[in-house]
Amino acid sequence: MFLSCKSKKSKDLFTLNSLTTNYDTLSKLVKTKGDTNAYEEIFYFYVESPNNERIDSILYYSKIMASDFNYYRAYYDYLSILCEKGKIENNWNRLSELNLTKVNAESKDEIISWLNYMLINNVITQKDFDSVIK
């Protein structure tokens, strides 16, 4: 009788404060291949980043992933960051809880435009779109 134990490979955990791969490489992977792992690494790097460029950077990469590679999560990442940019509390779990009534006109238009884009790309339904408090 033989007993065999195979060691399971475990995934390495990375801190969100450090990019494990060269930033240029990650950026290229996102822009040319829609690599979700590279996107996640860049996304979380910027989410934790305190600098002023973080919102624009997250918008940039999440729009690429949503628009060019139809990455479902990126649609919502983009929407969440638009809400943050428009100073909307990001405590909504469903679109029916998203309240745009106190948002400045420019931010409101930007968010509604993105919601329309999500609707056109079948990420949300008409019911979801209509449920947003405008």
Side-chain angles (χ1 to χ4, degrees):
M1 177 178 208
F2 287 101
L3 289 176
S4 166
C5 293
K6 291 184 179 178
S7 65
K8 293 182 180 180
K9 290 184 179 178
S10 63
K11 291 187 176 184
D12 292 330
L13 296 177
F14 304 113
T15 64
L16 299 180
N17 288 327
S18 63
L19 293 175
T20 59
T21 308
N22 179 300
Y23 178 81
D24 293 335
T25 301
L26 291 172
S27 179
K28 185 176 180 181
L29 286 170
V30 169
K31 292 190 262 185
T32 61
K33 299 189 185 298
D35 185 289
T36 57
N37 290 327
Y39 169 73
E40 300 290 329
E41 198 157 344
I42 287 174
F43 177 83
Y44 285 114
F45 171 77
Y46 279 118
V47 163
E48 285 199 342
S49 178
N51 68 27
N52 294 335
E53 299 169 4
R54 76 179 201 73
I55 287 178
D56 291 336
S57 297
I58 294 171
L59 287 173
Y60 175 75
Y61 287 106
S62 59
K63 190 168 189 176
I64 288 171
M65 289 298 290
S67 301
D68 296 350
F69 300 101
N70 201 32
Y71 184 44
Y72 182 82
R73 183 184 152 199
Y75 286 96
Y76 284 96
D77 289 344
Y78 191 87
L79 177 61
S80 293
I81 296 302
L82 278 180
C83 289
E84 182 180 332
K85 182 179 173 185
K87 300 194 183 348
I88 298 170
E89 286 189 38
N90 208 356
N91 58 0
W92 48 271
N93 293 320
R94 288 171 273 149
L95 289 177
S96 62
E97 298 169 354
L98 179 56
N99 187 340
L100 303 178
T101 57
K102 296 178 182 174
V103 180
N104 69 54
E106 182 182 343
S107 293
K108 184 176 182 176
D109 289 345
E110 226 177 347
I111 292 168
I112 290 172
S113 176
W114 186 253
L115 288 167
N116 269 316
Y117 187 75
M118 291 173 73
L119 177 62
I120 290 166
N121 288 286
N122 299 313
V123 176
I124 62 172
T125 65
Q126 185 68 49
K127 184 178 177 182
D128 293 329
F129 180 83
D130 293 341
S131 72
V132 174
I133 304 164
K134 300 174 191 88

